[in-house]
Amino acid sequence: MDMGTLLALVLLVAGIVVLSKAVRMVPQGYQWTVEAFGKYTHTMNPGLHFLIPIYQSVGRKINMMEQVLEVPSQDVITKDNAVVKVDGVVYFQVLNAAKAAYEVAQLEVATLNLVMTNIRTSIGSMDLDESLSRRDEINAKVLVAVDQATHPWGLKVNRIELKDIAPPRDLIEAMARQMKAEREKRANILEAEGFRQAEILKAEGEKQSTILEAEGEREAAFREAEARERLAEAEANATRVVSDAISQGNVHAINYFVAQKYIEAFKALAEAPNQKFVMMPMESAGMIGSLGGIAELAKQALADAPGRASHLPRSGG
C-alpha cells in the first residue's frame, strides 16, 4: 500500500468521525445541552442538528419524560416515640434541561434525599395514629416542600405517594387487641341499647294495656251503674204502681207485692254459694193465688188504659 492510499484512508476515517460529531439526532422525549469548549451555549430539542466539530460538543443528555423514583424503606420516629418503616414513590419531570444539568449534581440522588428528609419531618410531627390515618395529608405536605425545593433545579414534582407505613410487630398486635376491645365494647353497648329499648317498649305496652283495661273497667262500671239506675227506676215505678193500687184497696196488688218479694228471697237462697241442697215447705195454693193476683192486676191496668187515654186533652186540629 503506497502513501497516497494510506493518506486517503486516514482522511476518510477522519471525515467520518468529524461528520458523526457534526450531525446529531436527538430522540423524542430528550433534550441535549450543547457546550462550546466546555461552556453551555444552548439546548437541542428532539430532531436533527448540526454542530461545529471540535468547537461544539454535546454536554448532557436529559430525559424530559415523567420519571418514577423509588423511595427506599427507612425508619421514622413518630411524635409519641413509635418507630415505623416508611417507603414510597416520587413522580417528577424535568422542565428545564440546562438547570437540571448544571444546577445540581446527581439529580436523582439529591431529589431522593430531599424526599426522605421531608417524610421524616412530616411523620415526626404526628402521633402514630395520626400518621396511619392521615396519609393523604402527609403526601400533600411532603409534595409541597419537595416541589419548592427542587424548583431551582428545573424539576416539577407531580406526586409523592407513601406506599407503606409499617409499625413494629408488637405495636401491630397491641393495635389489634385495642381494635378487638373497641368492637366488643360497641357490641356490648348495642346489645345493652337493644335490651333497654325492648324494656321500654315492654313497659309502654304494659302501660297502654293497663290504661285500656282501666278504661274498660270504667266503661263497664258506668254501664253497670246505668243498668242499676234503670233497674232501680223500674222497681220504683213498680212499687209506686203497687202502692197506688194498695191505697185504692186492691187486694191483687198486695198479692203481687208479696209474691214478688217471696220469689226474690227464694232465688237468693237458692243461689247462695254455701248451699248445696235446699228443702223448705211451700204452699202451692198461696203461690198460685199470688200469681192469680198478678194476672188480675194486669187485666185491670189494661182496662183502665182506654179511660185514661180519653181524659187526655185533644188538639184543636
Side-chain angles (χ1 to χ4, degrees):
M1 181 180 296
D2 56 3
M3 285 295 297
T5 304
L6 181 60
L7 182 61
L9 289 175
V10 171
L11 292 176
L12 179 61
V13 172
I16 293 173
V17 172
V18 170
L19 185 61
S20 64
K21 294 291 184 178
V23 179
R24 292 291 179 153
M25 182 73 70
V26 179
Q28 185 66 37
Y30 285 83
Q31 287 185 356
W32 293 357
T33 62
V34 177
E35 300 175 354
F37 294 118
K39 181 181 179 179
Y40 169 77
T41 57
H42 63 280
T43 302
M44 293 188 299
N45 294 320
L48 181 63
H49 297 269
F50 296 95
L51 300 178
I52 300 174
I54 301 175
Y55 173 70
Q56 293 179 327
S57 62
V58 175
R60 305 288 179 86
K61 299 178 180 180
I62 305 300
N63 186 349
M64 305 299 292
M65 296 178 287
E66 186 173 14
Q67 303 176 59
V68 180
L69 186 62
E70 291 283 342
V71 180
S73 178
Q74 60 174 331
D75 291 334
V76 180
I77 300 176
T78 61
K79 186 178 180 180
D80 52 353
N81 296 324
V83 180
V84 296
K85 289 186 176 296
V86 183
D87 59 359
V89 291
V90 181
Y91 297 86
F92 71 95
Q93 186 176 11
V94 177
L95 300 181
N96 190 315
K99 290 183 178 181
Y102 301 108
E103 294 293 336
V104 59
Q106 297 181 336
L107 177 63
E108 292 187 358
V109 175
T111 304
L112 180 60
N113 289 330
L114 192 60
V115 171
M116 295 175 67
T117 302
N118 280 274
I119 288 176
R120 286 196 297 268
T121 302
S122 298
I123 295 180
S125 62
M126 297 181 179
D127 295 335
L128 177 61
D129 294 338
E130 293 178 343
S131 63
L132 294 176
S133 61
R134 298 164 62 180
R135 183 173 301 189
D136 292 338
E137 182 178 341
I138 298 173
N139 292 337
K141 186 183 295 186
V142 175
L143 175 62
V144 171
V146 174
D147 188 46
Q148 291 178 353
T150 57
H151 181 72
W153 303 343
L155 294 185
K156 173 62 179 177
V157 180
N158 296 322
R159 293 187 305 279
I160 294 178
E161 299 289 341
L162 298 181
K163 292 195 301 184
D164 190 21
I165 301 178
R169 183 176 296 277
D170 56 345
L171 283 180
I172 294 177
E173 294 176 354
M175 291 168 62
R177 290 194 300 269
Q178 181 181 1
M179 292 176 62
K180 182 179 179 181
E182 287 291 334
R183 285 194 293 267
E184 291 178 352
K185 176 183 175 182
R186 287 196 297 267
N188 292 332
I189 292 175
L190 291 176
E191 185 177 2
E193 286 291 336
F195 285 139
R196 175 175 173 269
Q197 190 67 22
E199 292 296 329
I200 291 175
L201 293 177
K202 182 180 178 181
E204 287 290 337
E206 292 178 353
K207 176 183 175 182
Q208 292 296 328
S209 176
T210 304
I211 292 174
L212 292 176
E213 184 178 356
E215 290 287 340
E217 292 178 354
R218 187 181 69 174
E219 183 68 20
F222 175 76
R223 294 186 179 277
E224 184 179 356
E226 185 179 8
R228 287 198 302 268
E229 181 181 356
R230 292 180 180 179
L231 179 61
E233 183 179 356
E235 291 180 353
N237 291 332
T239 304
R240 181 178 52 80
V241 172
V242 172
S243 297
D244 291 342
I246 292 173
S247 64
Q248 295 175 4
N250 193 334
V251 180
H252 298 297
I254 298 174
N255 291 334
Y256 165 74
F257 187 76
V258 172
Q260 183 184 12
K261 295 301 181 181
Y262 188 80
I263 292 172
E264 290 178 356
F266 183 74
K267 179 181 178 182
L269 182 62
E271 291 179 351
N274 58 351
Q275 295 295 333
K276 302 300 182 180
F277 184 71
V278 178
M279 293 183 65
M280 61 178 296
M282 183 174 64
E283 296 180 357
S284 301
M287 188 66 176
I288 295 173
S290 298
L291 295 176
I294 296 172
E296 291 296 332
L297 184 61
K299 290 178 181 180
Q300 184 176 355
L302 293 174
D304 293 340
R308 287 195 301 271
S310 64
H311 287 84
L312 294 175
R314 298 181 179 270
S315 60

